[in-house]
Amino acid sequence: MQDTASVLALAPDEASVKAARGLVAPAKWPALGADEAAVWGECQGSGSKPYQTQVDLSGPAFRCSCPSRKFPCKHGLALLLLKVDDASRFKTARPAWVDEWLASREQKDKKKEEREAQKAEAPPPDPKSVAKREAQRWDRIEGAAQDLQRWMADQLAHGLGAVDDDTVKGWQAMAARTVDAQAPGLGQRLLQAAERVRQGADWPEQVLHRLGLLQLACDGLQRRASLPEAVQADLRQVAGWPLDKDGVLAHGDAVTDRWTVLGVVQEMRDAKLTERRVWVHGQQSQRQALLLDHAYGGRGFEQLWVGASSAEATMHFFPGAAPLRALCEGPQLGGAAVWPVEPLAQAWDRITQRMAASPWVGLHPLVLLDATPERTALGWCCVVQGRSLGMRIDEAFGWQLLAHSGGRALNLAGEWDGQAFSPMSAWRDGEAAPLWIRSLL
């Protein structure tokens, strides 16, 4: 990290930059240190014990004892900003807690290299054994789909009006059965339908929509062998049978381009699991891609992605009838955003074709040009080409976006879930720098 710009490029959002700048004061840091491998410091927070913050410069990788779920947090950014501002304040005597963290990272890297070496040296698996195991799992998945179909028919025969708390518990038990049958994706979709029960005035429509997609997946699984390979790949993912990442990197459709990060979204799936969605747009290919990652127990993500930046990289797309999810190889961050210029009709057509090819895709990237955010009696929306599009956005973020727009039209990139638009970033024509970025968490 040679300058302030390179440090701020690591920030997950504008709010983190602002918070980090507020901590760039030596008085807030009773201990500071650095050497060729790491930077560390103790930042006095609201509690009696300072937060221990450390950065492995080989990554960079961050660790902090604060409760923030952002990576890097404001303390990590502030620590690097202090180092850039005046390196003479930093001592070179490494404390034990930094040594332990660096040693654990080195040990993990070494074990990972050993596993990769063992995997490379291991003889290839017997094709007959592999085919037998896959056939057995498909049998279990297809059996689970049959049971689920019969169960859904029984539920609908009784009517959604009869659904109560005890009924929902039965839905949860059925979802657990699909997990036991090695089809966790079916169970997850059933739970998503159960979560909509009696939530909002249109909940019957929402539940039926989700159960309909689940029924369609079960139908497809019953006649899987007769379907195209791309659709079979979609059904495998719907069932929750993950593809081997090495296989995707080796055989997936590879597209090398400069990719602009349209937005980064992080959500807590449970108390310890964080999901991150990175949406990117290829400058030359005009392809869109979703980089989906999960971090458990407060750990960071392997790759660093910064909203409203760009990266030279190769995307390897997962197989499917409408490939969207991808794995990234060799991202080189640091470039300015090259925002897409896509007419609204073309954007809707892209989504329509994707949904027709694979109806189970739940989220789509969407770019809206000349959109005006508004707050109405019915909630947040944006007006595009004379039409109002509902927005799903937290109240505070909505007012932030409205303030940045000044009541005028701007360009938005966000997620479309089939019903509402969730903005992630905003910019104006001719400007690479974003006007607004939604905070991650």
Side-chain angles (χ1 to χ4, degrees):
M1 304 296 110
Q2 301 297 323
D3 53 36
T4 300
S6 62
V7 173
L8 296 182
L10 302 173
D13 51 50
E14 184 180 355
S16 296
V17 172
K18 183 177 180 180
R21 289 188 184 277
L23 294 174
V24 182
K28 295 181 179 291
W29 297 81
L32 291 169
D35 56 24
E36 69 284 351
V39 182
W40 60 90
E42 294 183 353
C43 183
Q44 188 62 55
S46 57
S48 58
K49 188 176 181 180
Y51 295 128
Q52 293 180 334
T53 307
Q54 46 202 319
V55 183
D56 183 347
L57 296 176
S58 64
F62 295 80
R63 185 179 185 183
C64 185
S65 60
C66 76
S68 174
R69 295 189 295 268
K70 294 184 181 182
F71 299 97
C73 67
K74 61 183 179 181
H75 303 101
L77 292 171
L79 181 63
L80 291 180
L81 289 174
L82 279 167
K83 177 71 164 51
V84 168
D85 183 54
D86 187 358
S88 65
R89 299 192 184 103
F90 290 72
K91 301 178 181 179
T92 57
R94 221 190 264 169
W97 51 274
V98 176
D99 282 331
E100 291 172 0
W101 180 58
L102 292 178
S104 67
R105 284 183 51 79
E106 184 178 356
Q107 187 176 13
K108 288 179 182 178
D109 291 341
K110 187 178 296 184
K111 288 182 177 179
K112 182 178 180 181
E113 292 175 359
E114 290 175 353
R115 287 195 299 268
E116 291 176 350
Q118 291 174 357
K119 186 176 182 179
E121 295 174 358
D126 178 35
K128 292 183 179 180
S129 299
V130 172
K132 182 179 179 180
R133 288 194 297 271
E134 288 193 353
Q136 290 173 341
R137 180 159 184 176
W138 276 123
D139 286 342
R140 287 191 287 268
I141 291 174
E142 290 168 7
Q146 288 180 340
D147 291 342
L148 186 56
Q149 278 183 307
R150 288 191 291 266
W151 179 88
M152 285 192 294
D154 290 340
Q155 300 302 308
L156 293 178
H158 288 87
L160 290 180
V163 175
D164 55 19
D165 292 343
D166 290 336
T167 307
V168 171
K169 290 180 180 178
W171 291 30
Q172 295 168 348
M174 186 63 205
R177 287 172 57 185
T178 65
V179 174
D180 293 338
Q182 294 186 291
L186 300 180
Q188 183 181 22
R189 289 175 178 270
L190 180 57
L191 291 176
Q192 290 172 352
E195 290 172 355
R196 299 298 300 181
V197 171
R198 305 197 183 283
Q199 298 297 316
D202 64 341
W203 73 265
E205 178 185 350
Q206 297 297 324
V207 173
L208 282 174
H209 172 70
R210 286 161 175 78
L211 292 180
L213 289 176
L214 196 51
Q215 173 68 31
L216 183 63
C218 292
D219 286 342
L221 288 168
Q222 297 306 307
R223 54 190 184 92
R224 175 185 58 85
S226 64
L227 297 174
E229 289 186 5
V231 179
Q232 292 187 38
D234 285 336
L235 288 170
R236 173 174 172 149
Q237 294 187 56
V238 171
W241 188 352
L243 290 169
D244 179 68
K245 290 188 175 182
D246 291 338
V248 174
L249 290 173
H251 306 295
D253 181 22
V255 180
T256 301
D257 205 339
R258 173 161 286 279
W259 301 86
T260 289
V261 182
L262 300 177
V264 181
V265 180
Q266 286 184 195
E267 294 181 347
M268 296 299 295
R269 289 305 180 192
D270 57 37
K272 293 185 178 181
L273 184 65
T274 304
E275 177 180 289
R276 184 184 69 173
R277 300 187 298 274
V278 181
W279 298 96
V280 297
H281 187 102
Q283 179 180 351
Q284 300 298 327
S285 66
Q286 295 299 302
R287 291 283 297 268
Q288 295 173 325
L290 165 64
L291 305 175
L292 180 64
D293 290 302
H294 294 86
Y296 184 78
R299 294 186 178 91
F301 297 94
E302 289 186 7
Q303 293 179 333
L304 178 67
W305 291 96
V306 180
S309 65
S310 65
E312 290 281 355
T314 299
M315 299 293 169
H316 298 263
F317 286 84
F318 283 70
L324 185 61
R325 187 183 175 189
L327 295 176
C328 180
E329 181 181 21
Q332 300 295 322
L333 292 173
V338 182
W339 299 107
V341 181
E342 185 175 49
L344 184 59
Q346 183 177 335
W348 285 129
D349 185 60
R350 187 199 292 258
I351 292 176
T352 301
Q353 292 182 19
R354 186 184 298 125
M355 293 179 69
S358 182
W360 304 286
V361 178
L363 290 173
H364 306 263
L366 178 61
V367 174
L368 303 176
L369 303 179
D370 294 324
T372 305
E374 292 184 357
R375 182 68 166 87
T376 70
L378 298 177
W380 290 98
C381 68
C382 56
V383 178
V384 187
Q385 295 183 2
R387 296 185 178 183
S388 179
L389 191 67
M391 287 201 305
R392 184 172 286 114
I393 186 172
D394 290 343
E395 195 74 8
F397 294 155
W399 288 114
Q400 287 177 11
L401 178 59
L402 186 60
H404 281 287
S405 74
R408 296 181 293 133
L410 39 69
N411 303 320
L412 297 171
E415 296 178 319
W416 172 254
D417 65 2
Q419 294 183 325
F421 176 72
S422 298
M424 301 181 296
S425 55
W427 69 96
R428 295 201 186 279
D429 291 338
E431 298 180 6
L435 190 66
W436 171 84
I437 297 180
R438 188 177 78 192
S439 299
L440 294 183
L441 288 163

